[in-house]
Amino acid sequence: MNGKSMVICGAGGFIGSHLRKYFEEKGYQVIPVGRRELTLGTDLLAERMEGADIIINLAGESIIRRWTPANKRKIYNSRIDTTRTLAGAVRAMKQPPIAFLNASAIGIYADQGEHDETSQSYAGDFLAEVCLDWEKEASTLDVLTRVIFLRFGIVLDSGQGALAKLLPLFRMGLGGRLGSGRQAFAWIHIQDLLRAVEFLLQSPEIKGPVNFTAPEVSDNCTFTNQLARVLKRPALIPVPSFALRLIFGKGADSLLKGQHAFPATLQQAGFSFLYPTLQLALEAIIKKKKNIVSPIRTRF
């Protein structure tokens, strides 16, 4: 590993809290940066981050909400303004980090076709706009450090995230597909996400966008059926599109649309997934198997 000091902006969130624990157990000094630190001003923020080898930016308001004009501003500004502030602080650091990893999402891609990291078939909706502008702000640092865009799919974990919210309903036999169920469901197990971040830090040749999805892309209907099968419960109660629209308005797009996004960069670089299939991932999570994390493949 190139360094042992890491800044995580958004360390209190779902992914950030897992990353913090994972890398602290690896011997890293993890420096959390929250909303208060982001208001300190560029120089003070740069001073707080000074000496960090890695900066990971995960800050952003949840997109699963009704997309009122006010909420859309919160979603947008919490990502773009935060990244702009962090980038300014990095430029003010005496020694820039070795790598700057910025969160993004596969929602940047169109919901038609298949997408690896070379795809420039982007969606024309609000989520894609957020992701494009988010990555654009982070890319201003590519003259100073290695910049990587973490394009996350749906992250599966039993304690937090989308799956954790669905589990109580499915355990009661009240689960079902969302909308038509035909929308792509590109996902990644939380343990593979953590290992993939570590893998990127060990792979200095990788930069730019990286799809954080498992090799097996499913659809919402298949996910629903497999989850119900693992839980030994029926999945007979679909949630119609109009109901989601009533609750979330245009925000329902994040649930009713999906992207066929594949992890070409990780696979071509030699990353080995512990959970390449949905069945393996769900069984490990639901049955709480004590999986031993295999070492990451070393390339010579």
Side-chain angles (χ1 to χ4, degrees), residues 100-150:
F100 186 93
L101 282 62
N102 200 78
S104 186
I106 61 170
I108 197 170
Y109 301 119
D111 60 358
Q112 302 294 322
E114 298 180 353
H115 309 281
D116 63 14
E117 291 86 352
T118 65
S119 173
Q120 294 188 9
S121 178
Y122 300 134
D125 58 13
F126 172 66
L127 285 182
E129 176 191 357
V130 171
C131 290
L132 285 166
D133 288 353
W134 202 4
E135 293 184 3
K136 182 179 179 181
E137 288 296 334
S139 69
T140 63
L141 293 175
D142 61 9
V143 295
L144 294 176
T145 186
R146 180 164 63 111
V147 177
I148 303 172
F149 309 125
L150 311 175

Side-chain angles (χ1 to χ4, degrees), residues 134-204:
W134 202 4
E135 293 184 3
K136 182 179 179 181
E137 288 296 334
S139 69
T140 63
L141 293 175
D142 61 9
V143 295
L144 294 176
T145 186
R146 180 164 63 111
V147 177
I148 303 172
F149 309 125
L150 311 175
R151 291 181 176 173
F152 294 125
I154 297 168
V155 182
L156 298 184
D157 177 55
S158 62
Q160 299 181 71
L163 179 58
K165 293 176 181 177
L166 292 173
L167 278 176
L169 287 174
F170 275 80
R171 289 187 190 279
M172 292 186 290
L174 300 176
R177 59 177 168 79
L178 301 181
S180 70
R182 292 191 295 270
Q183 64 270 33
F185 187 86
W187 56 276
I188 187 169
H189 189 289
I190 184 65
Q191 194 65 31
D192 277 332
L193 182 154
L194 301 174
R195 295 173 61 251
V197 170
E198 183 182 14
F199 181 85
L200 291 179
L201 299 185
Q202 295 176 337
S203 306

Side-chain angles (χ1 to χ4, degrees), residues 67-87:
W67 286 357
T68 63
N71 281 337
K72 287 174 73 172
R73 282 194 298 274
K74 286 180 182 179
I75 291 169
Y76 185 90
N77 292 339
S78 65
R79 288 164 172 77
I80 279 66
D81 291 351
T82 295
T83 305
R84 187 174 296 154
T85 298
L86 280 172

Side-chain angles (χ1 to χ4, degrees), residues 163 166 170 173-183 185 216 218-238 278-279 282-283 286:
L163 179 58
L166 292 173
F170 275 80
L174 300 176
R177 59 177 168 79
L178 301 181
S180 70
R182 292 191 295 270
Q183 64 270 33
F185 187 86
E216 179 190 80
S218 183
D219 59 32
N220 182 263
C221 190
T222 302
F223 164 74
T224 295
N225 291 335
Q226 290 207 19
L227 178 56
R229 190 179 304 120
V230 171
L231 290 170
K232 296 181 172 61
R233 294 289 188 274
L236 304 175
I237 307 176
L278 190 56
Q279 181 175 338
L282 291 176
E283 286 179 351
I286 304 305

